[in-house]
């Protein structure tokens, strides 16, 4: 089996079981498609993203230090998932998710493939139906609303029509197909 590493980014304000479950669902899907997932990382976002987003929605913006600590405690007994602090700890402006993925991809050694894991709403909003170049994409919809976002965002059609583009998209719990990797 080919070796894969997963990364999920997001505010995680607060982290919840769904963030961890999303990585496990992606790992299971990849395993069924010939990959061995050796590591999966939760990457809480930089305060430069979280604090303005929280203020705009009228919610509390938990600090990066708090979100990192909460995430570490939540996965301390998880054999697959760990927390990556790089994104939250960057000085200055916040790195966006493609930069976060490229930073990790640059450190992966021989033959390991990085996959960005996200929900269908994020994938549709960010135009991930075309993939992320050398970084694979696994979309894990959250219930009926997530599957609807995937359909409305054109992800199901793109997942079936792209071939050899270096990305993978799964838009349903039973697997809707994906590009050749």
């Amino acid at each position: 089996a080919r070796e894969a590493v997963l990364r999920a980014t997001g505010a995680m304000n607060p982290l919840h079981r769904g963030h961890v479950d999303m990585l496990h669902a992606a790992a299971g899907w990849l395993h069924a498609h010939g990959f061995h997932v050796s590591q999966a990382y939760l990457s809480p976002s930089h305060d430069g993203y979280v604090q303005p987003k929280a203020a705009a929605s009228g919610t509390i913006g938990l600090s990066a230090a708090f979100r990192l600590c909460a995430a570490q405690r939540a996965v301390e007994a998880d054999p697959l998932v760990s927390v990556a602090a790089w994104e939250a700890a960057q000085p200055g402006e916040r790195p966006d998710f493609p930069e976060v993925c490229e930073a990790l991809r640059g450190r992966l050694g021989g033959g390991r493939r990085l996959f960005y894991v996200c929900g269908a709403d994020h994938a549709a909003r960010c135009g991930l139906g075309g993939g992320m170049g050398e970084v694979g994409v696994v979309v894990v919809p959250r219930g009926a609303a997530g599957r609807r976002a995937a359909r409305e965002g054109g992800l199901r059609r793109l997942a079936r029509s792209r071939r050899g583009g270096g990305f993978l998209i799964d838009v349903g719990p039973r697997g809707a197909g994906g590009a050749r990797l």
Side-chain angles (χ1 to χ4, degrees):
R2 297 169 286 178
E3 189 174 354
V5 175
L6 309 180
R7 177 164 242 167
T9 64
M12 299 180 202
N13 186 48
L15 175 85
H16 54 79
R17 189 71 210 165
H19 293 111
V20 178
D21 290 348
M22 179 175 69
L23 286 169
H24 282 280
W29 199 88
L30 285 166
H31 177 75
H33 289 83
F35 284 88
H36 164 70
V37 177
S38 59
Q39 298 168 293
Y41 295 103
L42 287 171
S43 182
S45 293
H46 190 278
D47 275 341
Y49 169 72
V50 175
Q51 299 308 323
K53 180 179 178 182
S57 65
T59 62
I60 293 173
L62 302 171
S63 71
F66 182 89
R67 290 179 290 110
L68 285 168
C69 183
Q72 289 165 347
R73 300 271 318 252
V75 300
E76 64 189 357
D78 193 303
L80 177 65
V81 180
S82 58
V83 177
W86 184 88
E87 178 181 3
Q90 289 302 297
E93 290 193 29
R94 71 175 179 94
D96 204 1
F97 70 93
E99 182 183 349
V100 173
C101 289
E102 281 303 315
L104 176 58
R105 192 180 73 77
R107 287 181 282 210
L108 291 179
R112 293 191 293 173
R113 177 77 190 270
L114 177 63
F115 287 89
Y116 180 64
V117 180
C118 63
D121 55 339
H122 178 75
R125 185 174 53 255
C126 296
L128 297 181
M132 289 177 60
E134 295 297 314
V135 176
V137 177
V138 179
V139 177
V140 180
R142 292 171 285 224
R147 288 188 292 280
R148 185 172 45 256
R151 283 191 306 275
E152 291 169 2
L155 299 179
R156 182 176 302 273
R157 180 184 51 77
L158 287 168
R160 288 187 175 154
S161 67
R162 294 286 290 205
R163 295 289 175 241
F167 67 94
L168 171 83
I169 295 177
D170 175 27
V171 297
R174 293 175 193 83
R180 190 180 82 241
L181 299 171

